[in-house]
Amino acid sequence: MDTTDIAAQRDQVGYVLRKLPQVTLLFWALKMVAVTLGETAGDLLGITFGLGYVTTALLFLAFLTAVAVAQVRAGRFHPALYWAVILGTSMIGTEISDFLNRGFGHGSAPDGIGYAWGAALLTGLLAGVFAMWWRTGQTLDVENITSRHGEVLYWIAILVSNTLGTSSGDWLADDTGLGFRNAFFLIAAIMLLIVAAYRFTAANRTVLFWLAFILTRPLGAAGGDSLTKPTAQGGLGWGTLWGSVALLGSLTALVACQIWQVHRHPLAPLPAPCDRRTGLPQRPNADPATGDSVRKPTPTQI
């Protein structure tokens, strides 16, 4: 097929509505609150309510499966649904990390492989997900994914990223001897370097996004501990119940803010998906955009 035929096919594809949010300051605020709630909710059900790891993991898996299927089947961006999936990946990612690293114990490796090996294994798994993603020809720009194949890969990468974030945070705090507070300051410093790289360098935006996405998970765990731990341990002493309630209220308020924002300023549609390498059209996984809703899309990063 020559380039003229490919261009003709692309012109016929049209535009589709966005399924995923734009990455703004509000996005990162929502992500931090969601992953922190995932941490405290796991402790609330598994420890405070005494359900245990297995029952808690099964409940979280059922929740994640339901909201993820609904998200993939949706035709446009729904903030409440999207952040429910992020919350689900955080909750089940915490349980996967604990099973992998600790087994049924509470240390680094009484029955599991330990934090260091867990982080290494998950890093390799995430690299494998990205390699597979690249080979499929799907866009790696997280704001401009519009095919079902691309969105499924996106959610797999998010689940592995949140699981890796849990393992890497545990490794830094426990195995390196940094402790909870010093690990928090180290991760916060790395996050500041990522922000500086984004603002002042030409570093790849997709790489920076995923680095920040991984690191917000241990930051969220630190934030959850600061709310729930007793005052004698440096926390506020709210406990897992009231800490989770406060975080749920914050997440609800921020999601409502995003719903209001999207209602006032609808997200610009995107060109229907095409293979990144060949330019051939792919099957979209979003509602078509018609008429006046079609505006110039944001340029892709990759």
Side-chain angles (χ1 to χ4, degrees):
M1 182 178 294
D2 61 31
T3 56
T4 303
D5 292 336
I6 292 175
Q9 287 192 34
R10 294 185 69 174
D11 289 340
Q12 294 173 3
V13 166
Y15 289 78
V16 295
L17 300 179
R18 288 180 183 266
K19 291 284 302 291
L20 305 174
Q22 293 177 310
V23 181
T24 63
L25 183 60
L26 179 59
F27 173 93
W28 291 114
L30 277 157
K31 206 276 182 172
M32 281 292 299
V33 175
V35 297
T36 306
L37 177 57
E39 175 80 12
T40 61
D43 291 342
L44 175 65
L45 295 182
I47 300 173
T48 304
F49 289 171
L51 296 182
Y53 281 149
V54 175
T55 302
T56 300
L58 291 174
L59 289 173
F60 287 166
L61 180 60
F63 172 77
L64 174 60
T65 301
V67 294
V69 169
Q71 165 66 29
V72 172
R73 288 182 174 178
R76 63 185 67 198
F77 175 53
H78 298 286
L81 183 57
Y82 176 88
W83 291 107
V85 184
I86 294 291
L87 175 60
T89 61
S90 175
M91 293 190 298
I92 195 64
T94 299
E95 301 304 313
I96 292 172
S97 176
D98 287 344
F99 278 129
L100 184 66
N101 301 332
R102 305 174 182 174
F104 289 95
H106 295 282
S108 175
D111 299 303
I113 65 175
Y115 297 137
W117 282 109
L121 178 63
L122 290 164
T123 299
L125 179 59
L126 184 60
V129 171
F130 285 133
M132 179 174 61
W133 193 342
W134 178 264
R135 288 178 62 85
T136 63
Q138 307 292 324
T139 179
L140 296 177
D141 185 347
V142 295
E143 291 186 337
N144 296 319
I145 296 169
T146 52
S147 70
R148 174 163 295 190
H149 196 172
E151 188 177 353
V152 169
L153 288 167
Y154 170 84
W155 286 116
I156 292 172
I158 282 183
L159 175 58
V160 178
S161 297
N162 277 331
T163 309
L164 172 59
T166 302
S167 287
S168 58
D170 289 341
W171 173 74
L172 279 175
D174 291 350
D175 286 5
T176 66
L178 284 176
F180 161 73
R181 184 167 300 178
N182 289 334
F184 172 83
F185 288 134
L186 176 60
I187 295 169
I190 296 172
M191 289 288 290
L192 289 176
L193 291 176
I194 292 173
V195 172
Y198 180 85
R199 291 290 301 274
F200 303 114
T201 75
N204 186 283
R205 293 323 194 228
T206 301
V207 172
L208 294 178
F209 170 85
W210 286 107
L211 287 175
F213 199 94
I214 292 168
L215 291 175
T216 51
R217 181 64 190 84
L219 275 181
D225 287 339
S226 69
L227 291 177
T228 62
K229 296 297 184 183
T231 54
Q233 298 180 22
L236 295 178
W238 290 5
T240 56
L241 175 58
W242 292 111
S244 297
V245 169
L247 289 165
L248 180 60
S250 299
L251 183 63
T252 302
L254 288 171
V255 169
C257 178
Q258 188 170 60
I259 292 172
W260 175 79
Q261 188 179 76
V262 171
H263 178 73
R264 289 199 63 187
H265 305 286
L267 300 178
L270 298 168
C274 294
D275 189 287
R276 189 190 68 252
R277 297 169 300 180
T278 66
L280 292 173
Q282 297 172 329
R283 183 178 179 181
N285 190 40
D287 289 341
T290 57
D292 295 336
S293 66
V294 176
R295 293 178 286 163
K296 185 177 180 180
T298 303
T300 57
Q301 297 169 350
I302 288 186

